[in-house]
Amino acid sequence: MIDLHVHSNKSDGTFSPRQLVQYASEKGLTAFALTDHDTTAGLEEALTAARKLPVTVIPGIEFSTAYEEKDVHILGLGIDYKTPVFSAALEEFIASRRHRNEQMCQKLRDYIKTDITYERLLEAFPGAVITRAHYARYLFQQGHVKSMPEAFDRYIGDRAPCFIPREKVTPQKAVELIRKAGGIPVLAHPPLYHMSDARLDKLVRELTETGLAGIEAYYSTYTAGETVHMKSLARQYHLLITGGSDFHGANKPDIDLGIGKGSLHVPDSILDDLHLR
């Protein structure tokens, strides 16, 4: 089996890219895609580690985008992450993230007695693209909250006093950028957006017109009905089917690599349809 949606500690996972390769090998996966949020920083390490093990690492990314006031994620699979236009766009995303992180740190310092700064977060989580999961872990480690969920509830959740929304690209822009990098753009976990069927159909139709190539039909939290619905959308719009666990290590302890919550199975044959073998 395979897993086409995996995160390392270069974004908001807890396994290093090298550890992911080792773990995937131990679990008998033939391939997995490293799809960290808005970064490709872990790909070289993962690809190097995979040379010594019977696991294929598929270079990927997961873009966070905004569509009609909804967070929508676009996976890029099989990307040429060294393409200049792709690298330049990622640099812009990193600059936008840094500005937002500095603002959030200032809000937290003003709101509670904490020493948090963007530089301290980078020191605490070296090499990672800082996300709110890192804020939560830092606040927990410093004793400001009793758990990571409490950090979100009290300080950094979507409606909490220290939250600042990040500037996001449109899903259409993400699809176009992945195409320019020679990758396969995939709409990630559509049921998680809690859209009506009509609205989701509109999103898929618009993205397909832009160049969307696939839809995540297998996912850790899907019901049987949601899997059927995603496969139906794929047939309707002539999209490829992908699937993955969205593994984050200890940050999502109920989701395991390859098997999700226990019943996930993404067949190896999908790689043939995606031309990623």
Side-chain angles (χ1 to χ4, degrees):
M1 61 182 180
I2 59 174
D3 192 333
L4 300 180
H5 191 160
V6 177
H7 295 278
S8 78
N9 63 0
K10 298 303 181 182
S11 63
D12 55 349
T14 58
F15 281 46
S16 72
R18 185 179 301 277
Q19 288 172 327
L20 281 174
V21 173
Q22 181 64 45
Y23 192 41
S25 177
E26 292 170 3
K27 292 184 72 64
L29 269 67
T30 55
F32 76 91
L34 182 55
T35 55
D36 280 323
H37 293 286
D38 302 332
T39 183
T40 58
L43 291 179
E44 285 292 333
E45 181 181 331
L47 289 165
T48 299
R51 291 176 191 150
K52 300 178 181 179
L53 292 169
V55 177
T56 298
V57 173
I58 296 167
I61 194 166
E62 183 174 14
F63 281 116
S64 304
T65 75
Y67 176 82
E68 296 179 354
E69 300 182 356
K70 284 275 189 181
D71 286 336
V72 169
H73 291 182
I74 304 293
L75 294 169
L77 302 177
I79 56 172
D80 180 357
Y81 58 99
K82 295 182 180 180
T83 301
V85 66
F86 189 81
S87 300
L90 280 187
E91 288 300 320
E92 291 181 15
F93 293 161
I94 290 169
S96 173
R97 272 187 180 273
R98 181 184 182 93
H99 179 64
R100 180 258 195 150
N101 281 321
E102 288 172 343
Q103 288 181 307
M104 279 188 63
C105 285
Q106 183 63 59
K107 275 205 164 192
L108 282 163
R109 291 197 301 272
D110 292 343
Y111 199 77
I112 58 177
K113 292 182 178 179
T114 177
D115 64 354
I116 194 169
T117 63
Y118 182 53
E119 288 70 24
R120 282 197 168 97
L121 286 171
L122 291 174
E123 289 171 6
F125 308 102
V129 172
I130 301 299
T131 68
R132 281 185 286 172
H134 297 104
Y135 281 83
R137 188 167 294 278
Y138 186 90
L139 293 173
F140 172 65
Q141 291 171 346
Q142 296 298 313
H144 295 291
V145 292
K146 295 180 180 178
S147 68
M148 289 177 62
E150 182 186 349
F152 279 86
D153 292 341
R154 294 182 61 184
Y155 303 122
I156 59 173
D158 288 357
R159 295 174 180 81
C162 300
F163 172 67
I164 294 177
R166 185 171 60 86
E167 292 182 17
K168 295 180 181 178
V169 299
T170 64
Q172 288 87 346
K173 178 68 175 179
V175 167
E176 291 170 358
L177 186 57
I178 291 164
R179 283 285 193 183
K180 288 178 181 177
I184 301 166
V186 175
L187 181 61
H189 45 59
L192 270 61
Y193 309 137
H194 303 294
M195 294 179 176
S196 67
D197 288 351
R199 191 177 181 193
L200 178 57
D201 188 85
K202 175 175 175 283
L203 170 63
V204 174
R205 183 178 68 254
E206 290 176 358
L207 292 182
T208 301
E209 291 169 355
T210 307
L212 185 74
I215 194 164
E216 199 165 37
Y218 301 102
Y219 187 74
S220 292
T221 63
Y222 283 3
T223 64
E226 286 170 339
T227 297
V228 169
H229 185 196
M230 294 307 102
K231 288 182 176 181
S232 175
L233 276 175
R235 286 193 300 271
Q236 181 180 349
Y237 289 101
H238 308 289
L239 297 171
L240 298 167
I241 285 174
T242 76
S245 65
D246 205 358
F247 179 71
H248 282 71
N251 285 339
K252 289 187 178 181
D254 60 333
I255 293 176
D256 200 2
L257 184 68
I259 61 172
K261 292 194 173 187
S263 60
L264 180 71
H265 182 87
V266 184
D268 175 91
S269 58
I270 283 178
L271 293 180
D272 295 323
D273 296 332
L274 297 172
H275 300 290
L276 289 175
R277 194 179 293 279

XYZ file of all heavy atoms in Angstrom, residues 93-125:
290
model
N 5.708 32.960 -0.185
C 4.883 32.391 0.880
C 5.604 32.476 2.221
O 5.010 32.792 3.249
C 4.554 30.927 0.582
C 3.660 30.719 -0.603
C 3.596 29.485 -1.219
C 2.888 31.749 -1.106
C 2.776 29.283 -2.317
C 2.069 31.561 -2.204
C 2.014 30.334 -2.810
N 6.913 32.188 2.212
C 7.695 32.212 3.445
C 7.736 33.623 4.022
O 7.600 33.826 5.238
C 9.119 31.687 3.183
C 9.068 30.172 2.896
C 10.036 31.958 4.366
C 10.366 29.606 2.365
N 7.909 34.629 3.169
C 7.927 36.017 3.632
C 6.588 36.411 4.240
O 6.532 37.093 5.277
C 8.277 36.946 2.465
N 5.493 35.957 3.618
C 4.158 36.246 4.137
C 3.950 35.570 5.491
O 3.401 36.169 6.425
C 3.094 35.774 3.145
O 1.794 35.899 3.678
N 4.398 34.327 5.613
C 4.281 33.599 6.877
C 5.069 34.307 7.988
O 4.608 34.408 9.124
C 4.827 32.178 6.720
C 3.809 31.160 6.251
C 4.430 29.775 6.292
N 3.499 28.754 5.841
C 2.632 28.135 6.614
N 2.553 28.462 7.884
N 1.835 27.208 6.122
N 6.277 34.748 7.680
C 7.115 35.392 8.691
C 6.435 36.638 9.243
O 6.400 36.852 10.460
C 8.482 35.755 8.104
C 9.398 36.416 9.133
C 10.725 36.880 8.578
N 11.503 37.444 9.652
C 12.384 36.772 10.387
N 12.603 35.487 10.141
N 13.046 37.372 11.354
N 5.871 37.452 8.349
C 5.205 38.675 8.787
C 4.032 38.357 9.699
O 3.863 38.973 10.755
C 4.729 39.459 7.561
C 4.007 40.725 7.888
N 4.613 41.790 8.529
C 2.710 41.093 7.696
C 3.735 42.766 8.698
N 2.569 42.358 8.210
N 3.254 37.374 9.342
C 2.103 36.985 10.148
C 2.548 36.424 11.500
O 1.959 36.725 12.541
C 1.288 35.956 9.366
C 0.042 35.436 10.073
C 0.244 34.066 10.670
N -1.031 33.453 11.017
C -1.245 32.156 11.014
N -0.278 31.326 10.670
N -2.425 31.667 11.365
N 3.605 35.613 11.498
C 4.099 35.043 12.742
C 4.621 36.106 13.701
O 4.410 36.025 14.909
C 5.195 34.014 12.451
C 4.631 32.678 11.992
O 3.621 32.228 12.508
N 5.274 32.049 11.029
N 5.290 37.092 13.163
C 5.786 38.178 14.016
C 4.628 38.946 14.648
O 4.689 39.334 15.822
C 6.685 39.110 13.189
C 8.027 38.465 12.840
C 8.838 39.290 11.871
O 8.257 40.189 11.220
O 10.053 39.025 11.733
N 3.563 39.135 13.884
C 2.386 39.821 14.419
C 1.705 38.998 15.512
O 1.292 39.542 16.549
C 1.392 40.102 13.291
C 1.816 41.181 12.320
C 0.759 41.401 11.254
O 0.321 40.465 10.587
N 0.329 42.628 11.095
N 1.595 37.682 15.302
C 0.962 36.831 16.299
C 1.784 36.764 17.583
O 1.232 36.772 18.694
C 0.727 35.425 15.738
C -0.513 35.327 14.875
S -0.939 33.617 14.403
C -1.268 32.859 15.979
N 3.096 36.705 17.449
C 3.952 36.696 18.637
C 3.772 37.985 19.439
O 3.713 37.953 20.679
C 5.416 36.527 18.226
S 5.854 34.860 17.706
N 3.677 39.105 18.741
C 3.466 40.374 19.435
C 2.136 40.375 20.173
O 2.044 40.842 21.320
C 3.512 41.530 18.428
C 3.366 42.917 19.057
C 4.502 43.250 19.995
O 5.667 43.254 19.576
N 4.202 43.502 21.266
N 1.096 39.851 19.539
C -0.205 39.780 20.196
C -0.144 38.922 21.454
O -0.734 39.268 22.489
C -1.261 39.224 19.227
C -1.890 40.266 18.331
C -3.276 39.804 17.887
C -4.083 40.950 17.329
N -5.498 40.610 17.149
N 0.541 37.794 21.380
C 0.656 36.912 22.541
C 1.437 37.584 23.663
O 1.087 37.464 24.846
C 1.326 35.595 22.141
C 0.427 34.591 21.418
C 1.249 33.521 20.715
C -0.542 33.942 22.403
N 2.493 38.300 23.325
C 3.273 39.008 24.352
C 2.435 40.093 25.017
O 2.544 40.328 26.228
C 4.542 39.625 23.737
C 5.574 38.600 23.308
C 6.945 39.230 23.098
N 6.921 40.288 22.087
C 7.088 40.093 20.791
N 7.270 38.855 20.330
N 7.070 41.105 19.942
N 1.589 40.734 24.236
C 0.726 41.777 24.795
C -0.387 41.188 25.650
O -0.822 41.815 26.627
C 0.103 42.616 23.665
C 1.139 43.457 22.926
O 2.237 43.650 23.473
O 0.843 43.890 21.797
N -0.840 39.992 25.293
C -2.030 39.410 25.937
C -1.691 38.615 27.186
O -2.440 38.626 28.167
C -2.763 38.513 24.921
C -4.195 38.220 25.286
C -5.197 39.178 25.087
C -4.555 36.989 25.819
C -6.510 38.905 25.417
C -5.874 36.704 26.144
C -6.843 37.674 25.948
O -8.148 37.399 26.282
N -0.581 37.873 27.132
C -0.153 37.100 28.298
C 1.336 37.348 28.539
O 2.049 37.802 27.651
C -0.388 35.579 28.097
C 0.360 35.058 26.862
C -1.864 35.271 27.996
C 0.225 33.551 26.662
N 1.795 37.050 29.725
C 3.204 37.246 30.067
C 4.013 36.074 29.521
O 4.228 35.071 30.173
C 3.377 37.361 31.579
C 2.764 38.632 32.165
C 3.005 38.734 33.660
C 2.421 40.027 34.207
N 2.619 40.143 35.677
N 4.461 36.236 28.303
C 5.244 35.195 27.648
C 6.415 35.829 26.924
O 6.359 37.002 26.538
C 4.383 34.397 26.644
O 5.200 33.439 25.978
C 3.754 35.304 25.602
N 7.472 35.045 26.743
C 8.668 35.553 26.063
C 8.672 35.176 24.585
O 9.685 35.301 23.907
C 9.928 35.002 26.730
C 10.046 33.478 26.615
O 9.088 32.850 26.120
O 11.091 32.931 27.021
N 7.536 34.734 24.068
C 7.501 34.191 22.706
C 7.878 35.238 21.661
O 7.410 36.381 21.685
C 6.094 33.601 22.400
C 6.132 32.746 21.139
C 5.030 34.706 22.293
C 4.875 31.918 20.919
N 8.782 34.841 20.768
C 9.123 35.615 19.577
C 9.251 34.637 18.418
O 9.392 33.419 18.621
C 10.466 36.362 19.731
O 11.522 35.394 19.891
C 10.451 37.304 20.931
N 9.236 35.152 17.228
C 9.389 34.294 16.062
C 10.752 33.604 16.082
O 10.873 32.425 15.765
C 9.223 35.126 14.788
C 9.306 34.318 13.515
C 8.506 33.197 13.321
C 10.185 34.681 12.495
C 8.570 32.454 12.147
C 10.254 33.954 11.314
C 9.454 32.840 11.154
O 9.523 32.107 9.991
N 11.777 34.342 16.513
C 13.115 33.770 16.579
C 13.178 32.623 17.582
O 13.833 31.599 17.338
C 14.132 34.864 16.958
C 14.427 35.873 15.858
C 13.251 36.807 15.575
O 12.409 36.997 16.493
O 13.170 37.321 14.439
N 12.487 32.770 18.720
C 12.486 31.695 19.720
C 11.747 30.460 19.199
O 12.122 29.324 19.506
C 11.854 32.194 21.028
C 12.786 33.060 21.861
C 12.297 33.177 23.303
N 13.334 33.750 24.139
C 13.411 35.035 24.474
N 12.494 35.879 24.051
N 14.398 35.474 25.237
N 10.695 30.682 18.420
C 9.989 29.545 17.825
C 10.897 28.795 16.853
O 10.916 27.566 16.831
C 8.736 30.025 17.099
C 7.555 30.452 17.979
C 6.466 31.101 17.123
C 6.979 29.272 18.744
N 11.666 29.535 16.056
C 12.588 28.898 15.117
C 13.678 28.118 15.853
O 14.099 27.051 15.409
C 13.226 29.953 14.209
C 12.298 30.629 13.193
C 13.030 31.741 12.460
C 11.747 29.620 12.202
N 14.123 28.661 16.998
C 15.132 27.959 17.796
C 14.550 26.679 18.414
O 15.219 25.649 18.486
C 15.643 28.873 18.909
C 16.509 30.021 18.417
C 16.820 31.017 19.516
O 16.458 30.738 20.687
O 17.427 32.063 19.226
N 13.289 26.771 18.851
C 12.647 25.620 19.487
C 12.305 24.525 18.480
O 12.297 23.338 18.833
C 11.380 26.070 20.217
N 12.027 24.929 17.231
C 11.636 23.961 16.196
C 12.494 24.193 14.950
O 12.002 24.689 13.931
C 10.146 24.110 15.877
C 9.262 24.052 17.101
C 8.737 25.215 17.645
C 9.003 22.840 17.722
C 7.931 25.169 18.780
C 8.205 22.787 18.857
C 7.679 23.949 19.389
